[in-house]
Amino acid sequence: MAEATQNIDALMAEERRYPPDPEFAAQANTPADFYDQDPDTFWEREGRERISWFKPFDTLKQWDRPYAKWYLGGKLNVCYNCVDRHVENGQGDKVAYHWEGEPADDRLDITYADLQSRVVRAANGFKQLGIGKGTKVCVYMGMIPEAPVTLLALARLGAPFTFVFGGFSADSLGGRIVDMGCEYLITQDAANRRGTASALKPIADEAMSKSPNLKSCLVVRRTGTEIDMTEGRDQWWHDVVDGQSDDASSCPCEEMDSEDMFFLMYSSGTTGKPKGIVHTTAGYLTGVSTTHHYVFDIKPETVYWCAADIGWITGHSYIVFGPLCNATTSVMYEGLPDFPDKDRWWEIIERYKVNVLYTAPTSIRTHMKWGAEYAERHDLSSLKVLGSVGEPINPEAWVWYRDTIGGGKTPVVDTWWQTETGMIMVTPTPGLTTLKPGSATQPFPGVMAAAYDEQGKAIPAGSGAGYMVIKEPWPAMFRGLYNDDDRFRETYWSRFPDAYLAGDGARVDEDGDFWLMGRIDDVMNVSGHRLSTIEVESALVDHPDVAQAAVVSRSDPTTGQAIVAYVTLRGDQQGSPEKLIELRDHVGKVIGPIAKPANIVFADTLPMTRSGKIMRRLLKDVAENRALGDTTTLADPAVVQEIKARADAEASKED
Ligand code: WT7
């Protein structure tokens, strides 16, 4: 905690305040008494009004700590709420997605009626393959229209899914398929990535070869890249889906129970094995649609763009389910921000007159680095609200975002939440909250957040830092870890018996505003992506030449944190630039490119305590270029001096 506290002291010196603009406030979705509502009354009302139920719920919630249930007794279908009802309500011609492919001029406007046709055809095709209520399905795709269509079609059939980010390796994909017990995989030939085709199907093939329960694989042709199709197992999407009926009555929406499992999202924890975070149906949908409506001030005519990937929870909640449930028009973009040039995002905003942009601090800092001239080439005056998510945002990036992108007038909503929380938990609401650059400000109504001290007592406002906890259940709360009750209790509920432990440090200032300080466990946050130190260490020692590895993060001006690995090689091998590249690629292959260490320091030995534990804290001091802390418990204090000397030598080479 000490180290996180150092960062927060700099943050707390931030004194800029941005009170709400009266003109914005006058038209905002939030009533003046938004924060004074009784949580149960609020969630009861949102649940009844925001969702169309096949059978209304009879009990708001049940709290049998650590397991919550919400909207008990209700029957509903997510696809019906996100698609069919809008068509029935006369909104069929409204655009659901302005889809923008990476190749220039590859664009498609998908209306709610189009979306329904596509979803019904896909669901009929899936049914023909044998997918039905309860069938577990894995999806491994990029940002193509078939991605939301697939998730909605699975929701229509009541088939729980896990969507794996397209940047993950065959091992990561296979591990998730096996852990969930998926019988089907839906993927694409290759994805467009900065003008080249990045193959997905070969990775899927390797993953499937190690997944004995997998029955069949459906493949979308996106790039036309040559790929292998295994007879009897693999089929093309267009062969199975295109000829199906698109009449909604040919494939009715399954009646699901409020608490039926909706999806799993795997996320890194403090051990090598990713956790299957369980989300259920009604609470999740209510939580994400409600927060989407108020946090981004969504109106019927709003054009909204969440520039995340559907493969992360941000994409599930705020590209697919929240916005569609609210019948919002979204932009969805397939490619990278610098293709063909660094103004691609701003060009998209100008073309569609985007009102809300939601992205991560790492992207904002990248655009800052590229320079304001790219944004200045475009008319961004349509923007009304800017959102940030994924990691703490430094005040400098916050102010640049508001001034350069938002023309100095837009509220910036810094939204704190997690895969586990499913929905935004701590955030300003535009029009009501006085903004402070670097602070996520206030818990959303019905979210009981606190910072606890070591003894599990809430730290009074304005008096120090503590553990971020949530004391009461919220609708989109995860319902545990898939098949791992022990790990669920141990990870989140053992430090404090009466509160959910988020794993972040937090400080509450004199106004009661929250300042999130980053992870306090062995979880790293690289460009808003969560990775565990142990996961990366395991990937390194999986290489035949590596004897030992220790991984820490250091701060990085663009990616927030960057991965630093300390490695000892087997026998008398010496580190070399070639070996460094080989090890980085190996980590990329085992986990995925996002996990590649930024630096690798080769060492003869790693600093160990006398009881044989690697002293990560000291390695972190080296990585951060800080004065070395206490080395007295080390078995051989000279080791860390030696490593520091090597790291310094490396760093001076880079300069
Ligand atoms: C971790 C959760 C929420 C979707 C994306 C990441 C960090 C997230 C913020 C924020 C400070 C933030 C936390 C959290 N985080 N948003 N606004 N300010 N930190 O989801 O992969 O589950 O990661 O991201 O450390 O615990 P995730």
Side-chain angles (χ1 to χ4, degrees):
M1 187 70 79
E3 166 191 305
T5 316
Q6 289 174 359
N7 304 336
I8 204 72
D9 286 340
L11 259 188
M12 299 305 291
E14 172 57 50
E15 282 183 342
R16 281 168 284 193
R17 301 288 179 267
Y18 297 81
D21 169 42
E23 211 178 303
F24 189 104
Q27 59 84 61
N29 287 348
T30 42
D33 64 350
F34 193 58
Y35 290 99
D36 308 329
Q37 309 180 70
D38 167 63
D40 284 357
T41 315
F42 176 72
W43 288 119
E44 168 97 26
R45 192 191 65 227
E46 292 294 337
R48 298 231 179 265
E49 291 176 6
R50 204 162 288 285
I51 306 293
S52 300
W53 298 89
F54 295 149
K55 176 177 171 284
F57 59 91
D58 44 54
T59 307
L60 177 68
K61 70 175 181 212
Q62 210 176 64
W63 182 215
D64 184 9
R65 194 171 15 238
Y67 289 100
K69 290 184 176 164
W70 281 83
Y71 305 118
L72 291 92
K75 300 274 185 204
L76 74 163
N77 183 283
V78 171
C79 181
Y80 180 76
N81 276 277
C82 289
V83 184
D84 296 63
R85 64 167 174 163
H86 305 320
V87 178
E88 289 168 13
N89 293 342
Q91 298 190 85
D93 292 337
K94 182 171 182 180
V95 173
Y97 290 112
H98 292 296
W99 180 78
E100 172 102 4
E102 190 187 79
D105 301 326
D106 193 0
R107 290 181 201 130
L108 193 64
D109 279 352
I110 304 170
T111 64
Y112 275 92
D114 297 336
L115 188 60
Q116 187 182 41
S117 303
R118 285 169 175 262
V119 168
V120 171
R121 275 203 303 268
N124 275 321
F126 295 176
K127 223 163 40 179
Q128 188 183 304
L129 292 181
I131 298 174
K133 190 169 182 172
T135 312
K136 292 173 196 132
V137 180
C138 180
V139 187
Y140 183 59
M141 274 187 193
M143 293 287 288
I144 57 175
E146 287 82 355
V149 166
T150 296
L151 299 192
L152 292 161
L154 294 171
R156 190 174 194 91
L157 298 172
F161 57 83
T162 190
F163 189 115
V164 178
F165 172 61
F168 274 120
S169 67
D171 285 357
S172 303
L173 174 61
R176 286 153 169 80
I177 292 173
V178 169
D179 190 77
M180 185 174 183
C182 297
E183 292 180 87
Y184 294 83
L185 175 64
I186 305 178
T187 187
Q188 67 189 82
D189 53 358
N192 287 310
R193 218 183 137 72
R194 206 178 272 120
T196 61
S198 161
L200 293 185
K201 177 63 168 41
I203 297 174
D205 285 335
E206 202 186 323
M208 285 189 283
S209 71
K210 295 174 207 151
S211 311
N213 288 335
L214 203 112
K215 287 188 186 146
S216 83
C217 173
L218 194 61
V219 187
V220 176
R221 182 177 282 149
R222 168 63 187 139
T223 60
T225 305
E226 189 84 28
I227 52 159
D228 292 335
M229 294 290 278
T230 300
E231 187 70 48
R233 185 195 68 187
D234 303 344
Q235 295 185 69
W236 287 106
W237 173 285
H238 51 261
D239 289 339
V240 174
V241 169
D242 287 3
Q244 300 289 340
S245 166
D246 66 354
D247 179 350
S249 64
S250 69
C251 185
C253 296
E254 280 289 332
E255 275 203 10
M256 304 304 287
D257 191 88
S258 287
E259 282 296 332
D260 277 337
M261 180 159 91
F262 183 29
F263 66 86
L264 298 185
M265 169 67 73
Y266 285 85
S267 188
S268 293
T270 51
T271 71
K273 194 173 168 279
K275 319 181 261 204
I277 290 167
V278 180
H279 283 289
T280 59
T281 306
Y284 175 78
L285 190 63
T286 309
V288 300
S289 56
T290 302
T291 46
H292 177 254
H293 175 78
Y294 293 109
V295 172
F296 302 111
D297 200 48
I298 300 295
K299 304 287 194 270
E301 64 281 2
T302 300
V303 180
Y304 160 89
W305 182 16
C306 169
D309 191 287
I310 292 183
W312 305 109
I313 192 73
T314 309
H316 282 50
S317 300
Y318 297 106
I319 297 176
V320 184
F321 302 110
L324 293 178
C325 188
N326 290 332
T328 303
T329 295
S330 290
V331 168
M332 180 177 160
Y333 173 50
E334 180 185 33
L336 292 169
D338 55 351
F339 188 84
D341 201 353
K342 298 187 175 69
D343 66 341
R344 184 67 186 267
W345 275 24
W346 318 125
E347 184 208 349
I348 292 173
I349 289 176
E350 180 171 22
R351 175 165 337 110
Y352 299 111
K353 301 195 171 28
V354 171
N355 304 123
V356 182
L357 175 66
Y358 190 30
T359 186
T362 185
S363 302
I364 300 164
R365 290 191 296 259
T366 300
H367 286 292
M368 258 173 100
K369 204 165 66 179
W370 290 341
E373 69 257 35
Y374 295 101
E376 283 160 4
R377 281 185 206 163
H378 298 277
D379 177 5
L380 306 181
S381 61
S382 54
L383 288 169
K384 293 191 175 126
V385 178
L386 297 174
S388 173
V389 60
E391 47 177 321
I393 182 166
N394 47 311
E396 196 195 355
W398 193 105
V399 171
W400 187 88
Y401 196 26
R402 177 177 163 108
D403 286 351
T404 309
I405 306 307
K409 62 176 171 54
T410 49
V412 173
V413 289
D414 174 8
T415 64
W416 177 87
W417 57 295
Q418 309 175 294
T419 307
E420 291 87 343
T421 69
M423 62 177 226
I424 294 168
M425 300 290 279
V426 180
T427 178
T429 48
L432 272 189
T433 313
T434 290
L435 307 170
K436 301 175 182 177
S439 170
T441 71
Q442 292 288 313
F444 194 77
V447 171
M448 301 297 149
Y452 270 7
D453 65 14
E454 298 287 342
Q455 281 69 49
K457 284 216 313 279
I459 293 177
S463 60
Y467 298 87
M468 184 71 188
V469 299
I470 314 288
K471 299 197 296 185
E472 294 290 330
W474 60 99
M477 175 180 194
F478 67 137
R479 308 298 199 251
L481 299 179
Y482 193 58
N483 288 337
D484 208 344
D485 176 63
D486 287 349
R487 192 175 178 191
F488 175 52
R489 291 175 189 273
E490 166 64 28
T491 309
Y492 305 101
W493 302 95
S494 61
R495 183 76 184 73
F496 304 114
D498 69 335
Y500 163 74
L501 180 76
D504 284 18
R507 182 148 161 174
V508 186
D509 70 16
E510 8 345 280
D511 303 326
D513 283 328
F514 283 74
W515 299 72
L516 277 304
M517 301 157 26
R519 302 290 306 192
I520 48 168
D521 51 14
D522 289 329
V523 172
M524 301 178 286
N525 190 329
V526 181
S527 297
H529 300 146
R530 206 160 129 178
L531 290 158
S532 89
T533 53
I534 294 156
E535 217 176 342
V536 179
E537 286 167 4
S538 311
L540 283 164
V541 295
D542 177 69
H543 188 284
D545 293 346
V546 174
Q548 247 189 343
V551 166
V552 298
S553 61
R554 63 162 167 82
S555 27
D556 181 273
T558 308
T559 57
Q561 292 188 327
I563 302 174
V564 182
Y566 298 86
V567 168
T568 64
L569 296 172
R570 284 188 194 282
D572 49 14
Q573 294 184 73
Q574 293 297 309
S576 64
E578 294 74 37
K579 187 61 68 193
L580 191 149
I581 292 168
E582 191 183 323
L583 295 185
R584 289 187 78 230
D585 288 347
H586 186 73
V587 174
K589 197 175 162 341
V590 176
I591 304 173
I594 46 167
K596 287 185 182 180
N599 315 90
I600 296 180
V601 179
F602 293 104
D604 297 333
T605 36
L606 296 177
M608 304 282 232
T609 61
R610 292 187 192 114
S611 61
K613 276 211 262 170
I614 296 176
M615 295 278 284
R616 284 206 189 75
R617 181 179 55 77
L618 288 178
L619 292 171
K620 190 151 171 112
D621 286 343
V622 174
E624 297 279 14
N625 204 10
R626 279 199 293 260
L628 296 177
D630 184 12
T631 57
T632 49
T633 53
L634 277 177
D636 179 3
V639 167
V640 67
Q641 297 296 348
E642 163 73 21
I643 290 178
K644 184 161 168 52
R646 287 202 196 182
D648 289 348
E650 278 299 314
S652 63
K653 257 190 264 165
E654 279 166 28
D655 299 341

